[in-house]
Amino acid sequence: AQSVTQPDIHITVSEGASLELRCNYSYGATPYLFWYVQSPGQGLQLLLKYFSGDTLVQGIKGFEAEFKRSQSSFNLRKPSVHWSDAAEYFCALSGGSYIPTFGRGTSLIVHP
Amino acid sequence: ETGVTQTPRHLVMGMTNKKSLKCEQHLGHNAMYWYKQSAKKPLELMFVYNFKEQTENNSVPSRFSPECPNSSHLFLHLHTLQPEDSALYLCASSQGDRDNEQFFGPGTRLTVL
């Protein structure tokens, strides 16, 4: 069985502050991991993905994520948040199947 | 047009109506998906098609009926829905491999009165 946990339902940060969104997974082998972003009224868009190799992956819009096997985590980071980053963020895992398992999502609120 | 498109973007229907949601992908993908996204609930996978064959049906009520006539088109036929079916319905497509991400349409916002 595989699962994805996003412990934080909501995260509030000030514009210009750094951001870290947490994602923990459960899977018996090396997973394929993804982060997606969903702006209000829109579908999900891929930010970045990890398969193998370098554990720090760069994505679009200045986001990066680090895969830590020992902690079963794949946290998303951004050094300086912009108001336009306010959105819902989803972590997803593909294990033994091409059908991914999604976390519940974390809603990011950005204060001016 | 590129990517994944969904029509209509908004739909209001009564409980006795019959309507259909349409999804089209222009990416050459072989897998297509329907998801339901309700407020304060996780993303729910409803149906999956791979090479036009249904491979997943997550205990979805029969008032939702999918159709996949070819790898580029996916429909969700709706009839006698309930108010709790009001949600954002998202369509996605992918190449059908573990390392391939999904591409999502903008969704259809459905309201059942």
Side-chain angles (χ1 to χ4, degrees):
Chain A
Q2 61 191 50
S3 66
V4 176
T5 302
Q6 293 181 247
D8 304 304
I9 297 174
H10 302 282
I11 289 279
T12 302
V13 299
S14 297
E15 192 169 14
S18 63
L19 170 70
E20 182 168 33
L21 301 182
R22 295 184 291 165
C23 173
N24 295 103
Y25 69 89
S26 175
Y27 182 65
T30 301
Y32 290 62
L33 293 162
F34 307 83
W35 273 101
Y36 291 84
V37 61
Q38 183 181 30
S39 298
Q42 298 297 319
L44 282 67
Q45 179 188 16
L46 180 75
L47 283 175
L48 47 78
K49 59 186 178 182
Y50 170 79
F51 303 146
S52 64
D54 193 348
T55 56
L56 185 64
V57 293
Q58 302 296 320
I60 62 171
K61 306 187 183 195
F63 286 92
E64 66 178 27
E66 185 170 13
F67 172 66
K68 292 186 177 180
R69 185 189 302 277
S70 61
Q71 298 177 21
S72 297
S73 69
F74 188 55
N75 293 349
L76 182 70
R77 301 195 294 244
K78 186 169 184 178
S80 178
V81 170
H82 188 261
W83 63 266
S84 60
D85 293 323
E88 190 86 13
Y89 291 80
F90 293 90
C91 182
L93 174 156
S94 286
S97 162
Y98 65 93
I99 303 172
T101 298
F102 282 86
R104 292 182 67 102
T106 297
S107 178
L108 174 64
I109 301 163
V110 180
H111 281 317
Chain B
E1 190 147 17
T2 59
V4 181
T5 57
Q6 290 187 244
T7 54
R9 292 294 309 276
H10 301 272
L11 178 63
V12 179
M13 58 186 289
M15 293 169 61
T16 58
N17 291 159
K18 286 186 179 181
K19 295 287 184 183
S20 295
L21 309 185
K22 179 183 175 182
C23 175
E24 185 172 358
Q25 59 100 355
H26 310 266
L27 300 168
H29 292 161
N30 48 267
M32 296 189 76
Y33 313 73
W34 278 119
Y35 289 89
K36 176 183 179 182
Q37 188 177 37
S38 305
K40 302 186 188 306
K41 292 180 73 175
L43 204 58
E44 298 175 52
L45 179 65
M46 301 175 72
F47 302 105
V48 181
Y49 280 81
N50 198 4
F51 290 106
K52 303 187 297 178
E53 298 297 320
Q54 188 177 121
T55 61
E56 199 88 6
N57 177 339
N58 274 358
S59 304
V60 179
S62 59
R63 56 186 184 269
F64 294 91
S65 174
E67 180 190 359
C68 188
N70 55 61
S71 292
S72 298
H73 294 86
L74 184 64
F75 295 89
L76 189 62
H77 303 299
L78 317 171
H79 63 99
T80 57
L81 295 191
Q82 305 298 311
E84 60 265 30
D85 297 321
S86 299
L88 183 68
Y89 288 84
L90 292 166
C91 174
S93 70
S94 76
Q95 283 286 33
D97 295 315
R98 288 177 57 199
D99 58 345
N100 292 124
E101 67 268 30
Q102 293 182 313
F103 289 77
F104 285 80
T108 295
R109 173 66 64 185
L110 173 67
T111 302
V112 181
L113 301 175

